[in-house]
Amino acid sequence: MSLAEAAHHEDPHGINGTNTQYRASGAAYFCDRAINALGQVLKAIAFNDVAGRCTAVGEATEATTCLFLELDADLVEMPAREPGRSYEALLRSFVRINLHNDVVATGEAIGILGRLRDGMLRRDGAHLGGLPNAGLATPTSPIMRTL
């Protein structure tokens, strides 16, 4: 099953009452998938696990591609308000991460994805009368600070 199929299989839009943080935004789901994959990248770098790093970067790349296919740039607060630039910056980061074990680039990518996700959840919450906080790892959450 592809990542895109998994997102819809896991009911990101809350059709069956689950995953309510994704009820209005499948794009937020893909942000979280990419952020979680990048967390795995940090662990792999720490343990010098080249195969694990490559696999996790691949997962982050796939999730980011699905994200930008889902995105409606007119409705989302995005860095520089240009989705193409954000996507290009993320893909360049993934190359640096994979080739150079670049922890700084990993943190920057997590930050971009976190801002995108937070903007989408704010937008969706305002549009739908409030959504619960996703409660997932963010660049400033305790789990990300310890990685």
Side-chain angles (χ1 to χ4, degrees), residues 15 19 33 39 53 60 81 112 131 138:
I15 294 167
N19 292 332
R33 290 294 296 256
R53 183 196 70 229
R81 294 194 140 332
I112 291 169
L131 287 173
T138 62

Side-chain angles (χ1 to χ4, degrees), residues 28-110:
Y29 169 84
F30 291 119
C31 282
D32 284 332
R33 290 294 296 256
I35 290 169
N36 289 333
L38 291 170
Q40 293 302 312
V41 167
L42 291 173
K43 289 179 186 176
I45 289 171
F47 289 102
N48 200 27
D49 177 5
V50 175
R53 183 196 70 229
C54 291
T55 299
V57 169
E59 291 171 7
T61 301
E62 183 178 356
T64 300
T65 300
C66 291
L67 160 67
F68 281 91
L69 291 173
E70 286 263 335
L71 227 71
D72 180 348
D74 294 333
L75 299 176
V76 179
E77 295 174 27
M78 299 186 67
R81 294 194 140 332
E82 295 182 32
R85 287 181 60 187
S86 296
Y87 182 62
E88 182 181 348
L90 286 166
L91 291 182
R92 270 195 245 131
S93 293
F94 297 157
V95 170
R96 284 196 320 268
I97 293 164
N98 229 0
L99 293 178
H100 305 291
N101 285 334
D102 195 331
V103 175
V104 173
T106 306
E108 290 169 356
I110 290 170

